[in-house]
Amino acid sequence: MLRVQRPAADDPATRSALAVLAALPDGLRGRMDEVVAPSPASVTLRLTDGRTATWGDEERSAEKARILESLLRRPARSYDVSSPDVVTVK
């Protein structure tokens, strides 16, 4: 499910969320329950198991996806890969 304020082809938040989804590997995309994007720079992924991943904007999405796949092996409730250079696990 995609949650944005104004779903439309010309909406920046919608475009950002869809770009993030397109960048996810199939295995990770299959684990998504919801993508929330109140703004283009505030994309959050909610996984089917209830965990969340703060993604940020669509920049460096391939790198963020690779890092998130690795982090998901660690037990936590939330992961922040919005800055791939400094990730946070809680």
Side-chain angles (χ1 to χ4, degrees):
M1 179 174 292
L2 174 62
R3 292 196 189 271
V4 293
Q5 297 289 334
R6 194 179 68 83
D10 64 340
D11 176 51
T14 300
R15 286 197 321 261
S16 184
L18 292 175
V20 168
L21 277 172
L24 297 178
D26 290 338
L28 190 54
R29 191 178 311 120
R31 297 171 73 175
M32 293 302 110
D33 186 42
E34 184 176 56
V35 178
V36 181
S39 75
S42 299
V43 178
T44 298
L45 309 177
R46 293 206 171 103
L47 285 71
T48 55
D49 62 7
R51 297 185 286 177
T52 61
T54 301
W55 198 268
D57 61 24
E58 66 185 270
E59 291 185 28
R60 298 173 69 183
S61 282
E63 186 177 0
K64 291 175 185 181
R66 185 175 36 77
I67 291 168
L68 181 59
E69 282 186 307
S70 176
L71 289 175
L72 288 175
R73 296 183 195 121
R74 304 171 101 186
R77 297 297 301 151
S78 66
Y79 308 85
D80 187 334
V81 295
S82 59
S83 174
D85 299 321
V86 182
V87 298
T88 304
V89 177
K90 295 181 184 177

